[in-house]
Amino acid sequence: MPARLLVEAGVVSAADRALREALAGRPLVSAERFCGSLRTAYAGPGPVEAARPAVAVGCYPGWAAAAPCSVLAAEERTGVRGPGQRRSWTDALDGPARALLAGLARPPVISAWYATDRLRAWAGLGGTVAAIDGRLRAHVEDKAAFTALLTAAGVPQRMRVPAVRIDGKLPALTELRRMVGSQRLVVQCGADSGGRGTSFVTTDADLEKAARLPGPYKVAGFVAGWSSNTTVLTVPAGHGAAVYVDRPSHKAVGVAEAGIGAGKSAGNDWSRPWPARAATDLVDAAVRVGEHLWREHRVAGLFGLDALLTGDGAVMFNEINLRNQGTTEVSGVNQQLRGLPPFAVAHLTVLLGGRAPWLPAADDFNAATIATAVRSVPGPYYLKLRHRGHTPVRVAGLRGPGVYRITGGRLVWVRPGAHPADADADAGEVLLASLPDARVVCLPGAELGTAEALTTGCGAPFAEPHALSSSGGRAG
């Protein structure tokens, strides 16, 4: 593990103690698609052992270096990995999960993206789901209401993508173009994730397809530039809340060569510097949103803001995710680079009514975020791996998840690993996480895992907002 990721023992001890006190002897259960969830916190530098789940329930199993104490994975039962399996794993495991968790010595605490009736049933009588309530998440994430949320939070107009809300039938394309002042449009609806509910519209046929989705709609002008994600943590403090803003990423979307469709993320890279004005604006706006959510809904814990970094160095917000996200795991490395445990540890602690005394003052943290964001300093990345073919395959010729070196166009096993910083991208290394077993049948479109590493920039996976770099092409 690189020395630059050292987390002080006193800080680790304080975080571990606070989470254990909040858990109060109850077993921690992870219920996420990847059974290696939270691994950045417990398998990395300064491991917070209290964050290692006693049980992980999910779609894809963990692996030795990242394993929780016990795993219930749908894929181990079906031997199949594909788009359908990743959407239905909670259905497939409903009965087994209820039985397994009911047999625990004490009612569990379930960590998940957001709380649902099913997860509450899994937790059982006396159990707890330590996650944002699903109904509140849907209300806040409603894409058609996002502009109103930014307005209520006091985010300046210049940081809002020009957009209109349409409550009824979508008007004609020419009228929508006039309303938002753009030839290319982005039509969004609902509160879904992974790019679902987002359509790019340039023709009448595109608009007809977008109109098949249920409204109300947010119709925005297309803004060219880098997409970005920022992880934000809100912690109750006194009579208000302290809001901590992580370093913003550069996110590539719609990368066809990686099998990623239009509007969908191919992954995130935190090694690229941001313009100073944009970084300052982003942090200020994120704090405003966090404070607003606390005032209006008493929201504590993690949420994410998606933004666009334009070619002239401005930042414009386009979406909020009131929950853990696909970025949560690897973005935790940013906090470890600054000597702190990942935000996920504080998230669980405060949702359980505890405190996070290891965190510095929010103003100091956010000032350091801006200073870090504008410099070329090491940062993590992850690249989503997809089966891009048209027929089922098995992933053969590899040794499963771990650190590989890219040599002569081939992946060569180097060592076990579970943390993004186990791999040095600048030296041609990559951590392949959550790979399927060689016996698993992978259907077209299946998630094959993620490629992760730490880089100073030369090993970054993306060359442009919609294209892989040479390093990313080799890793993917």
Side-chain angles (χ1 to χ4, degrees):
M1 188 69 63
R4 56 179 173 260
L5 267 81
L6 289 177
V7 182
E8 290 185 10
V11 173
V12 174
S13 177
D16 190 83
R17 182 169 58 252
L19 180 53
R20 289 186 190 279
E21 290 175 354
L23 289 168
R26 296 169 292 178
L28 178 62
V29 174
S30 167
E32 292 193 21
R33 197 159 75 249
F34 296 92
C35 285
S37 175
L38 297 172
R39 61 187 160 86
T40 304
Y42 66 75
V48 179
E49 280 298 327
R52 187 186 297 271
V55 179
V57 182
C59 186
Y60 313 131
W63 63 103
C69 299
S70 176
V71 169
L72 175 63
E75 185 170 282
E76 292 183 330
R77 294 170 170 242
T78 65
V80 177
R81 181 178 293 204
Q85 286 71 28
R86 72 170 176 255
R87 297 186 186 114
S88 64
W89 66 268
T90 55
D91 294 331
L93 293 181
D94 188 43
R98 291 186 192 220
L100 174 64
L101 300 187
L104 296 176
R106 296 192 60 183
V109 170
I110 296 181
S111 169
W113 278 28
Y114 53 90
T116 64
D117 289 340
R118 169 166 283 162
L119 291 180
R120 284 185 277 266
W122 287 8
L125 186 65
T128 301
V129 181
I132 298 293
D133 178 72
R135 288 175 286 272
L136 176 60
R137 175 205 73 90
H139 171 73
V140 173
E141 287 191 19
D142 181 5
K143 295 174 174 66
F146 184 60
T147 299
L149 184 150
L150 293 180
T151 302
V155 175
Q157 179 70 42
R158 61 187 169 82
M159 284 187 266
R160 303 181 221 157
V161 176
V164 294
R165 177 185 173 120
I166 305 294
D167 286 292
K169 181 180 177 181
L170 286 170
L173 183 56
T174 53
E175 175 64 9
L176 289 174
R177 285 171 169 166
R178 184 195 64 78
M179 293 170 75
V180 300
S182 174
Q183 287 298 297
R184 190 179 185 193
L185 308 176
V186 183
V187 179
Q188 295 179 293
C189 63
D192 217 329
S193 60
R196 292 179 292 276
T198 296
S199 301
F200 294 91
V201 174
T202 56
T203 67
D204 287 325
D206 294 336
L207 183 60
E208 181 180 347
K209 183 178 179 180
R212 295 173 193 156
L213 296 170
Y217 306 93
K218 171 188 166 188
V219 181
F222 177 81
V223 177
W226 280 99
S227 292
S228 173
N229 177 272
T230 305
T231 302
V232 188
L233 171 71
T234 303
V235 175
H239 297 292
V243 182
Y244 296 81
V245 186
D246 188 37
R247 180 180 180 181
S249 73
H250 285 71
K251 175 168 66 175
V253 298
V255 181
E257 59 187 312
I260 306 297
K264 297 181 183 296
S265 167
N268 286 262
D269 171 25
W270 287 271
S271 69
R272 288 175 175 266
W274 268 57
R277 177 173 69 106
T280 302
D281 281 349
L282 181 141
V283 169
D284 175 72
V287 170
R288 290 172 184 261
V289 171
E291 291 175 342
H292 168 73
L293 292 174
W294 173 258
R295 287 193 304 269
E296 293 297 310
H297 305 291
R298 286 297 184 263
V299 168
L302 288 171
F303 70 92
L305 281 173
D306 286 353
L308 297 160
L309 178 60
T310 67
D312 60 357
V315 63
M316 306 180 81
F317 293 94
N318 62 330
E319 193 170 307
I320 186 170
N321 299 303
L322 192 67
R323 50 180 163 79
N324 291 15
Q325 308 166 88
T327 56
T328 301
E329 193 71 61
V330 178
S331 70
V333 180
N334 290 322
Q335 292 98 66
Q336 291 170 324
L337 283 163
R338 293 166 63 175
L340 297 170
F343 278 167
V345 178
H347 168 78
L348 285 172
T349 302
V350 300
L351 287 182
L352 293 170
R355 300 178 61 194
W358 67 90
L359 292 172
D363 287 346
D364 294 341
F365 182 92
N366 294 336
T369 291
I370 296 169
T372 301
V374 302
R375 295 163 48 212
S376 294
V377 297
Y381 80 75
Y382 74 92
L383 169 65
K384 296 178 181 179
L385 305 177
R386 292 284 188 274
H387 172 29
R388 302 190 293 271
H390 301 291
T391 58
V393 298
R394 289 183 172 88
V395 177
L398 299 176
R399 291 179 53 180
V403 178
Y404 291 79
R405 180 172 290 110
I406 305 168
T407 304
R410 294 177 58 250
L411 290 167
V412 179
W413 172 268
V414 178
R415 56 184 173 272
H419 188 278
D422 285 337
D424 182 353
D426 298 349
E429 294 179 348
V430 62
L431 170 69
L432 299 183
S434 303
L435 292 179
D437 185 273
R439 295 165 292 184
V440 171
V441 175
C442 298
L443 305 179
E447 296 176 308
L448 301 181
T450 51
E452 305 170 4
L454 195 66
T455 179
T456 57
C458 60
F462 310 121
E464 297 174 0
H466 310 288
L468 297 177
S469 66
S470 56
S471 301
R474 290 192 299 270

